[in-house]
Amino acid sequence: MSKIKIAPSILSADFSKMGEEIADITEKGADVIHLDVMDGNFVKNITFGPKLVKDARKYSDLTFDAHLMILNPWNYIERFAEAGADIITVHQEACKDRLKDTLLAIKNLGVKCGAVINPDTSVEEIENIIEYCDMVLLMSVFPGFGGQKFIDGVIPKIEKVKKIVDATGKEIDIEIDGGITFENVGAVKKAGANVIVAGSTVFNHPDRKEAIRLLRNL
Ligand code: DX5
Ligand code: ZN
């Protein structure tokens, strides 16, 4: 089984002191910093762009995982790569028939790439391009906001992706994002997810170190 990595989403951090928040979760045992980039078009919320990613580098050496919830992501991948993203994920729903080309363009920039699907998009939509991915991200909420309820229907999708990943023989991470709690984290790992995004469960916990430890070990 692939190594479990805990990826706190800074969407639930205090944006007015983002550097300190990122340093805090780095020190408290996170493996990956999950950066939710939203454009107000692909999703109904607006967060931040490459400048924050660049400035955040001063506060953490962890893997920066940029989850682009934006239209026409190909117009921005170079800037996120230059800003210091280690992996860039793009939505199938935003890329459609340009998904494979966008993934390859990300790889060409020397950055890891991943495809994301929403809860109502089937695994078949990305089946043929999984071999080009370093990571597959399955949304377990409709993207846009933190603190939503986990959609159980994603569990069989994780199992399906896990089978496809195993058949490639490649090291491809499976990331789950949205509504992860201490109650459901065991089930998503059992289904095959190894990169666990958690926003509110980590940032709203009085003891973030304990929250990260529990997400890793439960
Ligand atoms: C949702 C984002 C998630 C979100 C997760 O649009 O992609 O990363 O911040 O937050 P929680 O863990 O609170 O659902
Ligand atoms: Zn996300």
Side-chain angles (χ1 to χ4, degrees):
M1 195 174 146
S2 314
K3 184 179 180 288
I4 299 293
K5 296 176 227 176
I6 306 302
S9 159
I10 62 165
L11 189 59
S12 293
D14 181 339
F15 275 42
S16 70
K17 45 175 186 177
M18 192 55 90
E20 292 157 53
E21 292 278 71
I22 289 174
D24 185 56
I25 50 169
T26 300
E27 186 208 318
K28 289 182 174 150
D31 302 288
V32 171
I33 307 291
H34 184 82
L35 303 153
D36 283 311
V37 178
M38 304 185 184
D39 67 351
N41 288 293
F42 181 70
V43 289
K44 291 193 176 65
N45 198 1
I46 301 175
T47 54
F48 51 79
K51 177 76 160 66
L52 181 119
V53 178
K54 181 166 182 279
D55 291 351
R57 263 293 164 224
K58 294 188 289 235
Y59 294 89
S60 179
D61 287 328
L62 294 181
T63 297
F64 277 8
D65 165 24
H67 173 196
L68 302 190
M69 287 161 273
I70 64 177
L71 293 180
N72 305 325
W74 40 83
N75 288 336
Y76 297 94
I77 54 179
E78 194 168 350
R79 288 179 57 199
F80 280 99
E82 282 169 6
D86 298 294
I87 176 156
I88 298 175
T89 63
V90 291
H91 272 260
Q92 183 276 336
E93 301 84 2
C95 296
K96 306 235 168 72
D97 55 6
R98 289 184 70 169
L99 180 57
K100 182 178 165 188
D101 287 348
T102 308
L103 293 168
L104 296 178
I106 295 168
K107 294 290 274 185
N108 261 329
L109 293 166
V111 173
K112 289 186 174 180
C113 71
V116 193
I117 53 172
N118 279 339
D120 60 351
T121 300
S122 71
V123 171
E124 283 69 32
E125 298 289 337
I126 55 165
E127 189 163 2
N128 295 332
I129 54 83
I130 286 180
E131 61 180 306
Y132 304 106
C133 293
D134 297 291
M135 184 162 79
V136 174
L137 169 49
L138 297 170
M139 293 306 302
S140 39
V141 298
F142 285 91
F145 298 91
Q148 301 183 73
K149 192 179 172 308
F150 180 81
I151 298 171
D152 292 308
V154 76
I155 297 279
K157 290 169 73 178
I158 301 174
E159 291 166 347
K160 202 176 267 185
V161 169
K162 173 76 171 137
K163 281 206 184 98
I164 298 168
V165 163
D166 286 348
T168 68
K170 295 182 179 169
E171 284 236 347
I172 301 169
D173 284 323
I174 303 176
E175 183 175 49
I176 184 84
D177 184 6
I180 296 296
T181 62
F182 303 130
E183 285 70 41
N184 60 31
V185 70
V188 300
K189 286 186 210 165
K190 187 161 171 255
N194 71 300
V195 183
I196 312 296
V197 177
S200 40
T201 293
V202 170
F203 280 96
N204 298 346
H205 199 282
D207 182 349
R208 292 175 179 175
K209 188 171 181 178
E210 177 65 1
I212 291 169
R213 193 191 69 79
L214 284 170
L215 288 171
R216 194 189 307 286
N217 296 329
L218 278 172

